Amino acid sequence: MKLYYTPGASSLAPRIIAFEAGLEIEYDKVDLKTQTTALGRDYNRINPKGYVPALAVQSGEVLAEVPVILEYLADQAPSAQLLPTLGSWERYRVKEWLDFTSAELHKGFEPLWEAPTPPEARQLAVSRLQRRFAYLDQRLRGRPYLAGHQFTAADAYCFTILSWARFHRIDLSDYSRVLEFMQRVCSRQMVKRALEAEGLPVAAWSIGPESDTTLGSIGCPSL
Ligand SMILES: N[C@@H](CCC(=O)N[C@@H](CS)C(=O)NCC(=O)O)C(=O)O
């Protein structure tokens, strides 16, 4: 298998899950602007959608869309328990978190990455995200991870997207459980390894947005 990624982008979530699952996969870095990969491939021919992540599997097929890639990777190593058993109620709950992260958080950040977005639209996007953060904060009461005590693929995804708040200088200090969640996920050995593998400063993820905001290169690259 090969994961096509861009450092700090949503492709970090599948890398975390691959590491947590102990999967030996290859990685190829994508330059989103030129649509070429570090290994010299034309990325548009790999994933005509033009965005990361994409996962090339053994058969030569390519999977796109973060929630599905995460599900596929987690299912390659069921003993790692990164997703509940297929058909169980708990599985649907984790999938609800995956979809929430995709549609509400990941896409919620999108206007902030686009330079021409006017200030009023940016403010609207931030207000909308803040309502989602408040919901998350409430749901994290008394539970270390989104689905309870077990770390799942949804936590890797949510953590990755939430890390962009700092880049956009969105203050998370009103959401103490969200910040604790970030710390908790970041303290996992495989998460640290994943950040290091992408050349990302671990400290930037483990502390809140009130800290050093000069790390302009972290987070999702420009869309
Ligand atoms: N729906 C896609 C969204 C992926 C996405 O937004 N990727 C961003 C990086 S975080 C990207 O590559 N953007 C470049 C583009 O849209 O051209 C998924 O779930 O994989």
Side-chain angles (χ1 to χ4, degrees):
M1 283 189 282
K2 186 183 281 179
L3 180 69
Y4 292 90
Y5 77 101
T6 298
S10 50
S11 44
L12 175 64
R15 185 193 284 267
I16 290 172
I17 291 309
F19 281 22
E20 290 272 354
L23 300 172
E24 294 287 333
I25 69 176
E26 293 169 44
Y27 296 87
D28 195 359
K29 186 164 144 183
V30 179
D31 181 328
L32 290 168
K33 288 201 172 72
T34 61
Q35 292 285 305
T36 51
T37 80
L39 297 176
R41 308 272 314 271
D42 175 355
Y43 187 58
N44 254 304
R45 297 189 62 167
I46 296 158
N47 179 13
K49 291 171 175 171
Y51 49 67
V52 290
L55 182 75
V57 303
Q58 224 60 43
S59 63
E61 297 266 3
V62 174
L63 262 188
E65 306 303 323
V66 179
V68 179
I69 293 176
L70 290 173
E71 189 169 358
Y72 182 85
L73 290 172
D75 282 343
Q76 303 309 301
S79 59
Q81 296 186 303
L82 296 162
L83 274 184
T85 320
L86 201 64
S88 65
W89 173 251
E90 290 76 17
R91 177 94 168 206
Y92 294 112
R93 188 59 83 197
V94 173
K95 291 189 75 159
E96 181 183 351
W97 280 117
L98 286 170
D99 284 4
F100 172 82
T101 304
S102 173
E104 303 299 328
L105 300 179
H106 189 167
K107 289 298 117 177
F109 270 96
E110 195 154 279
L112 305 183
W113 294 111
E114 307 214 17
T117 303
E120 307 77 48
R122 297 182 89 80
Q123 193 42 53
L124 264 179
V126 170
S127 307
R128 196 178 164 83
L129 280 169
Q130 283 167 331
R131 290 202 295 279
R132 306 299 180 245
F133 299 155
Y135 169 75
L136 258 182
D137 202 61
Q138 194 196 328
R139 291 296 304 270
L140 283 165
R141 187 191 296 269
R143 51 175 59 198
Y145 296 114
L146 296 175
H149 287 280
Q150 182 71 32
F151 173 85
T152 71
D155 297 300
Y157 191 16
C158 192
F159 165 79
T160 298
I161 304 304
L162 287 172
S163 71
W164 300 346
R166 185 167 175 279
F167 179 84
H168 291 293
R169 293 168 168 72
I170 302 176
D171 185 5
L172 293 182
S173 56
D174 279 349
Y175 318 106
S176 59
R177 285 180 286 265
V178 170
L179 284 177
E180 283 160 22
F181 166 80
M182 296 289 284
Q183 295 265 19
R184 193 172 298 120
V185 175
C186 198
S187 66
R188 295 178 70 87
Q189 201 191 351
M190 292 303 149
V191 174
K192 284 193 201 138
R193 275 195 48 201
L195 291 170
E196 281 162 7
E198 296 203 356
L200 302 166
V202 174
W205 263 261
S206 62
I207 48 182
E210 69 283 3
S211 59
D212 179 18
T213 48
T214 60
L215 295 155
S217 62
I218 66 167
C220 191
S222 57
L223 294 167

